[in-house]
Amino acid sequence: MKIVFFGSPDFAVPTLAAVAARWSVPLVVAQPDKPAGRGQTLQAPAVKVWAQEHGLAVAQPTRLKGEEGEAFIAQLRALQPDVFVVAAYGKILPQALLDVPRLGPFNVHGSLLPKYRGAAPIQWAIINGDAETGVTIMRMEAGLDTGPMVSVERTPIGVDETAGQLFERLATLGAELLVKTLQDIAEGRARFVPQDDAQATLAPMLKKDTGHLDFSKPARLVSALARGVDPWPGAFALLDGQPVKLFRPRVMEGQGTPGTVVVADKRGLHVACGEGAVAFAELQLPGRKRLPVDAVIAGRGIGVGAQFT
């Protein structure tokens, strides 16, 4: 098969590597380079970096519609691809683009569809306290992650697993599942199962303030949010009016006024919640590095009775 690959972040790299090892990939499509860091220097997406390191041609269209979009679609038609593979590309593909490949466009989505359609399915599965998640391969259509499902692989979510850790696991799982699925598609064995729209939920893009912890909630939900926003945007709460980032949460027994530190030692900073407490093993003060909690306690004097808001 001849496959055009669409993807941008680290999550998509294992899938690209698996596809390129087995089939012809005449073109890799990624988001344009974007400014990042304090210096706002242009940074290439991970997929582009991998593709160039392995000698694959890369395109980075800024628009998929209008004159630029029409020219790009014409370029793809000339390649006569059998399949599009899309993994966390970051843009919605218009119908004219979806119609190009002979066997269709297929998406690697990090959830058990129709649950968590949208941009951040992995994070929201953790934030909402789900016990399991997985990867779905679906044939793409114009709607937001609404196309028929071809294959699904489930996996439990670890008690202490962060979004970053789950990203890595699902990236590998998705790559393996896609290879099997593409073989079934090429050989005519694939079954296409419509999604049940009545069971659909959305997973909107995270914002910087999504990680603001509300300690009036049960400890299990506070911990789930902190893990779901790690590494981005990160969990935080205000201490003396300043944002403090909080990492590596564990649900503990404990009681007190929500937001109050009830234990502070090398094992963690235990903060009371609406039910139970959450112990954070690492903290990051404004303008400082992320450190083990005992180092922060010693240097800043954060102790029992401190109040997070």
Side-chain angles (χ1 to χ4, degrees):
M1 288 190 296
K2 189 186 296 184
I3 297 173
V4 172
F5 186 89
F6 290 74
S8 295
D10 291 324
F11 176 81
V13 171
T15 301
L16 172 58
V19 169
R22 292 163 176 80
W23 296 288
S24 169
V25 182
L27 185 66
V28 173
V29 185
Q31 289 263 33
D33 296 0
K34 294 180 179 179
R38 292 186 177 181
Q40 291 293 286
T41 55
L42 286 178
Q43 183 171 333
V47 161
K48 175 186 177 181
V49 173
W50 192 94
Q52 291 182 330
E53 288 175 349
H54 291 80
L56 300 178
V58 177
Q60 295 176 278
T62 56
R63 288 178 54 81
L64 300 178
K65 295 182 179 180
E67 291 186 7
E68 181 183 0
E70 290 175 1
F72 178 62
I73 291 172
Q75 176 188 354
L76 294 184
R77 286 198 186 106
L79 294 175
Q80 297 183 327
D82 298 296
V83 168
F84 284 172
V85 169
V86 182
Y89 173 53
K91 290 185 177 183
I92 295 176
L93 274 58
Q95 188 64 52
L97 194 55
L98 297 175
D99 291 338
V100 170
R102 180 178 64 88
L103 295 175
F106 296 90
N107 177 242
V108 182
H109 189 76
S111 82
L112 301 174
L113 288 172
K115 200 170 186 179
Y116 300 126
R117 294 172 176 174
I122 297 172
Q123 297 95 318
W124 284 107
I126 294 179
I127 291 171
N128 290 335
D130 290 5
E132 70 169 359
T133 185
V135 176
T136 303
I137 310 298
M138 66 169 181
R139 181 181 174 119
M140 298 175 68
E141 55 183 34
L144 178 64
D145 299 327
T146 58
M149 301 176 293
V150 193
S151 57
V152 177
E153 188 76 29
R154 297 174 178 270
T155 184
I157 298 175
V159 174
D160 297 320
E161 195 163 24
T162 66
Q165 293 165 338
L166 186 55
F167 259 90
E168 293 182 6
R169 287 208 300 117
L170 292 187
T172 301
L173 195 68
E176 294 170 352
L177 183 62
L178 178 77
V179 169
K180 297 175 185 176
T181 304
L182 287 181
Q183 290 170 343
D184 288 344
I185 291 168
E187 296 170 14
R189 296 192 303 268
R191 293 177 60 248
F192 297 84
V193 180
Q195 293 187 41
D196 182 357
D197 291 340
Q199 301 297 317
T201 60
L202 295 179
M205 188 178 299
L206 301 185
K207 301 177 181 178
K208 285 188 176 182
D209 63 357
T210 304
H212 196 165
L213 298 177
D214 179 359
F215 290 107
S216 69
K217 294 183 177 181
R220 63 179 181 82
L221 294 182
V222 174
S223 172
L225 176 58
R227 292 183 292 110
V229 296
D230 184 354
W232 193 92
F236 71 95
L238 300 182
L239 182 65
D240 298 329
Q242 296 295 313
V244 176
K245 288 194 172 184
L246 304 160
F247 303 93
R248 294 179 58 199
R250 287 178 295 119
V251 175
M252 310 290 287
E253 293 184 356
Q255 59 183 0
T257 302
T260 303
V261 176
V262 292
V263 175
D265 58 27
K266 64 181 181 180
R267 296 172 300 169
L269 201 69
H270 298 224
V271 183
C273 300
E275 295 176 12
V278 175
F280 296 95
E282 296 180 354
L283 276 71
Q284 184 176 0
L285 300 175
R288 303 291 182 88
K289 294 180 179 180
R290 174 174 169 173
L291 294 170
V293 69
D294 55 340
V296 178
I297 292 171
R300 174 70 182 266
I302 300 174
V304 174
Q307 182 73 36
F308 285 98
T309 60

